[in-house]
Amino acid sequence: RLNAHVHEKRLPSYAINLDPAVRDIPFGCNVDIRDTVNYKEVMKQYNLGPNGGILTAVNLFATRFDQVLTLIEKRQATTKYVLVDTPGQIEIFTWSASGTIITESLAQSWPTVLVYVVDTPRTTSPVTFMSNMLHACSMLYKTRLPFLL
């Protein structure tokens, strides 16, 4: 929805997908981890389950993240927003070394804001709601970046 809003308002943006396991993306990406790392092959090669495959794929991609930063720099004059979509298993990204490397690389180069999107229909249960809020707080304190919920 955020990407749709940016396009509707005709704000120049640059989209990056960091979820190697996503099947379909409802928006166009300028950079897609799936073009660099094959999640299923990573699982087979390293004998990993789904979460281990996602983590390893993101780790492999992080070793080349300087190339992504260069691509963003080249578009900096014509881009208002860079949208980075992370894996749905956000804890894999938030608490991994590669997630920290990527987040800090972006934050050191440009003003960076984290946006935590909550699946509102799934938060009707107080337990699920509180789980989301606690997870959001942990991300806020870990990254120490401006944060929208």
Side-chain angles (χ1 to χ4, degrees):
R1 292 180 191 243
L2 182 58
N3 191 49
H5 174 76
V6 167
H7 284 293
E8 179 183 304
K9 298 293 182 186
R10 300 191 190 286
L11 301 170
S13 63
Y14 198 77
I16 300 171
N17 171 45
L18 294 181
D19 188 348
V22 68
R23 288 190 183 114
D24 299 309
I25 301 175
F27 54 86
C29 285
N30 300 95
V31 176
D32 191 339
I33 188 173
R34 299 172 306 165
D35 295 335
T36 306
V37 182
N38 185 319
Y39 160 74
K40 297 263 186 199
E41 287 301 316
V42 168
M43 285 177 56
K44 286 179 192 172
Q45 182 178 354
Y46 296 101
N47 195 27
L48 300 168
N51 286 351
I54 292 170
L55 177 60
T56 302
V58 174
N59 286 345
L60 292 169
F61 190 75
T63 65
R64 297 179 171 188
F65 201 71
D66 60 315
Q67 295 173 19
V68 175
L69 295 175
T70 301
L71 292 171
I72 296 169
E73 284 174 13
K74 288 179 183 176
R75 298 281 303 269
Q76 189 170 351
T78 60
T79 301
K80 186 162 178 86
Y81 297 104
V82 175
L83 306 173
V84 181
D85 189 20
T86 61
Q89 298 81 350
I90 193 65
E91 61 280 354
I92 290 174
F93 185 79
T94 304
W95 297 101
S96 70
S98 55
T100 301
I101 289 167
I102 291 169
T103 303
E104 288 180 359
S105 296
L106 290 166
Q108 287 174 359
S109 302
W110 297 282
T112 303
V113 175
L114 295 182
V115 179
Y116 185 81
V117 180
V118 177
D119 187 2
T120 52
R122 296 190 59 171
T123 59
T124 56
S125 158
V127 172
T128 306
F129 176 79
M130 286 308 298
S131 175
N132 271 295
M133 295 305 103
L134 289 171
H135 195 75
C137 286
S138 72
M139 290 173 57
L140 171 66
Y141 289 115
K142 169 124 176 28
T143 63
R144 300 189 185 277
L145 291 171
F147 194 88
L148 292 173
L149 179 61

